[in-house]
Structures are given as C-alpha cells and as structure tokens.
Amino acid sequence: MHICDMGNQREYLASGGFSQYLYKDESTKVTINGVTGKMVSKITDPTGTHSGLPYYGNTSEVYFKKGEDGLATQARIYKDRYSYMDLDWNHSHTNSDGTVFQKGTIHVQVYIVGKNGKPQRLSDNARLMTDAEIAKYGPIIKYFNPNVKFK
C-alpha cells in the first residue's frame, strides 16, 4: 500500500506535503490530456467529519473516489493544492431553484475559501460541465469511469 500525498487542513503544510496522510492510492497516477490524477480511498477518519476526498492535494490535479464496483464515483479538482471543484455523478442533486441533475450525469460544485480559511463547497449552485471542462477533464474522467455522462 502506498500512502497518498493528500490530507485535510489540519495536516496541510503550506511548504508542501502533509503532517499526516489520510488516504491511500487505489490506482497508479496517470496523465491524460495534460491532466494528472489517481483514484484514492480514506485510510482513517478519527473525527468522522472528513469527506470522501481530501480538501487539499499535492502532486495530482484531480483525485477520484473509488466506488464499490471499482469505478470512480466522484472527482475533486485542485488548483494550487486547494479544492477547486467537485464533479459528482453517483447521486441525483437538486439546487434550491429546482434545477435537477440526474444520477450518472456529472454536476459541478465549485469551492471558495471561506472566512475560516477552509475550502467551502457551493452545493446549491451546481451546474453542468462546460464544453472547455469536458474537453480538458473528460478523457481522464472516462478513464476512471467509462459510464459517466457529461450532459
């Protein structure tokens, strides 16, 4: 087992790396279309509050959450090691305005850095992927889950 290069804010070191690693590799790191990513899973979560993917990355631009069937069920994209956006497709999602995204079709939820310095996901403003995002991230997403739909 290889311990991954990612964690949460408490373990995050601005100089690089983490003081504690909470995830393990479930796949090798691959680069497709200039995007580097890998599938991971949690090692442990003593607080019971950590999400399915790390809030901070280190050496990959995207991490994928492994589902029970072995295929990716979610992706998180990072910019400058911070959570940038989640790509979810393993559940249906409804925004407060009534916009519905069906299970199996990717919906995007972006992050901002909150007042406390932690990444904060804007879950109520989900949207479909743009054509540019599909062109950039689509090939690596399909590598980790060929069944996902973009629109």
Side-chain angles (χ1 to χ4, degrees):
M1 169 178 73
H2 179 262
I3 305 302
C4 294
D5 49 0
M6 62 201 87
N8 66 23
Q9 185 177 25
R10 189 178 62 227
E11 284 75 35
Y12 174 83
L13 300 174
S15 60
F18 298 90
S19 64
Q20 178 184 5
Y21 294 93
L22 305 175
Y23 293 82
K24 65 180 178 177
D25 292 339
E26 293 289 346
S27 75
T28 58
K29 186 172 15 175
V30 298
T31 300
I32 300 172
N33 199 32
V35 177
T36 300
K38 61 183 167 184
M39 192 175 312
V40 301
S41 64
K42 286 191 285 187
I43 296 170
T44 183
D45 181 10
T47 65
T49 59
H50 202 56
S51 69
L53 288 168
Y55 287 117
Y56 301 89
N58 199 24
T59 62
S60 291
E61 182 177 354
V62 60
Y63 291 109
F64 293 90
K65 179 180 177 183
K66 184 178 180 179
E68 292 181 14
D69 62 1
L71 298 176
T73 61
Q74 179 187 27
R76 183 162 293 154
I77 297 171
Y78 303 86
K79 295 285 185 195
D80 299 322
R81 298 184 62 203
Y82 285 85
S83 294
Y84 176 68
M85 66 182 179
D86 279 356
L87 308 176
D88 294 320
W89 59 87
N90 65 335
H91 61 274
S92 62
H93 178 87
T94 305
N95 287 344
S96 62
D97 68 0
T99 304
V100 176
F101 303 90
Q102 297 299 320
K103 181 177 180 176
T105 301
I106 293 176
H107 61 277
V108 176
Q109 297 172 79
V110 298
Y111 282 85
I112 61 169
V113 177
K115 291 179 183 178
N116 60 3
K118 293 181 182 179
Q120 194 172 23
R121 186 169 70 178
L122 303 178
S123 295
D124 202 39
N125 294 316
R127 61 173 174 78
L128 294 172
M129 292 180 75
T130 66
D131 290 341
E133 290 166 344
I134 294 168
K136 180 175 181 175
Y137 299 108
I140 197 165
I141 293 168
K142 287 287 192 177
Y143 176 85
F144 285 100
N145 188 330
N147 304 319
V148 72
K149 296 178 219 153
F150 298 110
K151 296 190 181 204

